Amino acid sequence: MPSDRLPPCKKVWTTLVTNTKYLPGVLTLNYALKRVQSKYPLVVLYTDKFPEEGHAELDKRNIYKRHVESLNPATHRDYSEDPRFYECWSKLQPFSLTEFDRVVLLDSDMIIVQNMDELMDIPLNPENRVFAASHACICNPFKKPSYPKDWVPENCPFTNYYQYKYNDDWEGPPTNSGVSMCNGGLVVVLPNENNYQKILAALNSSATASYDFSDQSLISDVFRDKWVPLSYKYNALKTLKWIHTDLWKDDEVKVIHYIISPKPWEDVPDSVDITNTFRVWRDIDAERIEKEKSDSNLYKI
């Protein structure tokens, strides 16, 4: 097994990788965090499936990494309509990483466009502020028949986003808004063994058969009303830009999340991107590649 390299600090960003399909996203995510001058490093969490050629690319860039075991439920739900959810259970592993004081999980199909180090200081506790995340958008714009029937615009917490009073700049609608579900793309985690055991208990129960969206369904259920809602800007789903046009503000957004296929690193023309957000990822990726060619100090530890 390849050797792990962990940073000396106690607060980290993490992303999970199981194959090389998402490796371009991982590399550009790491560069984007450096680009916005985050004080905190990225640690790539990898499973046994991640191949040697992937490790070589991480090691070449001095990216920290840590092995995690794959998580799977005792009762499997049929995700054949959305097979990506089969891999998502392992995204719950940051709850177990008690060697860190705080872990912020990022999906590798995200791009960071503004510094968001403030997430490392949002008040959390293991009893009733277990994690922080943005809400799931439940508009179901692609009318996927596998999605729940109550996933409609009138129930979406982003539809009436500005009806709520926000005491902090990082705050989002109350946790009981919409269907009380977070989006699992960015999760601010307070690692805690007791809460991790609650997650494992849920994975070993029959409850997983009812979870439409694997990891995010599980933590929204197990920690119902015990999570902290974040502003949309920390997990700006690309679809929000054309579904919730009154919500998206370019100067506010800190993270763009490229949910659903295709991904911006795939060989597709810009014209297929009706949200006009692919250009953001592609410009930063091009900058990364150019800097890697010319700056030998870019990834020095």
Side-chain angles (χ1 to χ4, degrees), residues 1-15:
M1 182 182 296
S3 59
D4 291 350
R5 293 184 56 257
L6 294 177
C9 54
K10 290 293 188 177
K11 295 180 179 181
V12 297
W13 313 102
T14 64
T15 194

Side-chain angles (χ1 to χ4, degrees), residues 176-194:
N176 60 2
S177 305
V179 295
S180 304
M181 183 179 290
C182 70
N183 180 282
L186 182 150
V187 184
V188 185
V189 175
L190 189 66
N192 177 272
E193 182 60 28
N194 184 53

Side-chain angles (χ1 to χ4, degrees), residues 13-297:
W13 313 102
T14 64
T15 194
L16 175 73
V17 62
T18 59
N19 55 62
T20 56
K21 179 181 176 182
Y22 277 73
L23 189 58
V26 173
L27 301 182
T28 303
L29 178 65
N30 179 63
Y31 173 75
L33 285 165
K34 293 179 178 295
R35 184 175 179 270
V36 299
Q37 299 182 320
S38 174
K39 295 187 296 185
Y40 307 99
L42 178 71
V43 177
V44 173
L45 307 179
Y46 66 92
T47 63
D48 291 337
K49 293 181 181 179
F50 191 55
E52 286 296 331
E53 58 267 29
H55 284 283
E57 293 300 318
L58 298 181
D59 294 343
K60 187 163 63 177
R61 294 165 177 84
N62 283 318
I63 297 176
Y64 294 110
K65 60 185 182 180
R66 185 192 192 281
H67 175 262
V68 293
E69 298 292 338
S70 294
L71 290 178
N72 289 290
T75 305
H76 286 272
R77 184 183 178 87
D78 179 10
Y79 290 122
S80 55
E81 293 293 326
D82 268 308
R84 60 198 166 100
F85 289 125
Y86 288 119
E87 296 283 349
C88 286
W89 301 106
S90 299
K91 286 170 56 180
L92 299 168
Q93 283 289 16
F95 286 87
S96 73
L97 303 183
T98 53
E99 64 263 43
F100 299 112
D101 294 336
R102 181 163 301 204
V103 174
V104 181
L105 168 69
L106 304 169
D107 274 359
S108 51
D109 60 350
M110 289 179 148
I111 196 69
I112 315 302
V113 294
Q114 292 192 60
N115 186 290
M116 55 178 187
D117 284 359
E118 65 271 16
L119 293 180
M120 297 295 184
D121 298 310
I122 289 175
L124 297 176
N125 67 62
E127 285 76 39
N128 54 22
R129 294 173 69 91
V130 175
F131 68 89
S134 301
H135 278 275
C137 174
I138 61 172
C139 290
N140 191 14
F142 299 107
K143 310 301 180 189
K144 291 194 172 189
S146 60
Y147 280 27
K149 300 301 182 188
D150 58 354
W151 278 50
V152 291
E154 52 265 36
N155 290 338
C156 185
F158 297 120
T159 297
N160 297 302
Y161 190 85
Y162 293 110
Q163 71 176 316
Y164 302 104
K165 180 182 178 182
Y166 302 113
N167 297 317
D168 294 288
D169 189 48
W170 48 260
E171 199 173 12
T175 54
N176 60 2
S177 305
V179 295
S180 304
M181 183 179 290
C182 70
N183 180 282
L186 182 150
V187 184
V188 185
V189 175
L190 189 66
N192 177 272
E193 182 60 28
N194 184 53
N195 285 330
Y196 182 60
Q197 290 302 319
K198 292 178 182 178
I199 288 170
L200 293 182
L203 282 171
N204 288 318
S205 74
S206 60
T208 51
S210 66
Y211 291 155
D212 294 298
F213 304 100
S214 62
D215 59 307
Q216 70 185 41
S217 292
L218 186 150
I219 57 174
S220 297
D221 180 34
V222 172
F223 304 113
R224 184 170 297 275
D225 297 326
K226 294 182 179 180
W227 56 280
V228 177
L230 295 179
S231 165
Y232 84 96
K233 65 187 177 184
Y234 295 106
N235 190 352
L237 313 177
K238 70 175 186 182
T239 49
L240 294 182
K241 193 164 188 180
W242 59 275
I243 302 171
H244 297 283
T245 54
D246 61 323
L247 176 64
W248 186 292
K249 295 178 176 59
D250 284 339
D251 61 343
E252 282 187 353
V253 168
K254 298 202 170 192
V255 185
I256 301 174
H257 187 181
Y258 296 97
I259 59 169
I260 312 176
S261 294
K263 303 302 181 184
W265 56 83
E266 294 176 4
D267 186 19
V268 294
D270 286 340
S271 58
V272 306
D273 171 32
I274 60 176
T275 66
N276 197 31
T277 58
F278 276 21
R279 60 179 177 77
V280 179
W281 189 95
R282 290 175 171 179
D283 285 351
I284 294 174
D285 181 58
E287 181 183 305
R288 170 185 72 83
I289 293 170
E290 196 59 37
K291 287 229 175 193
E292 287 184 349
K293 292 177 182 176
S294 60
D295 187 354
S296 60
N297 294 314

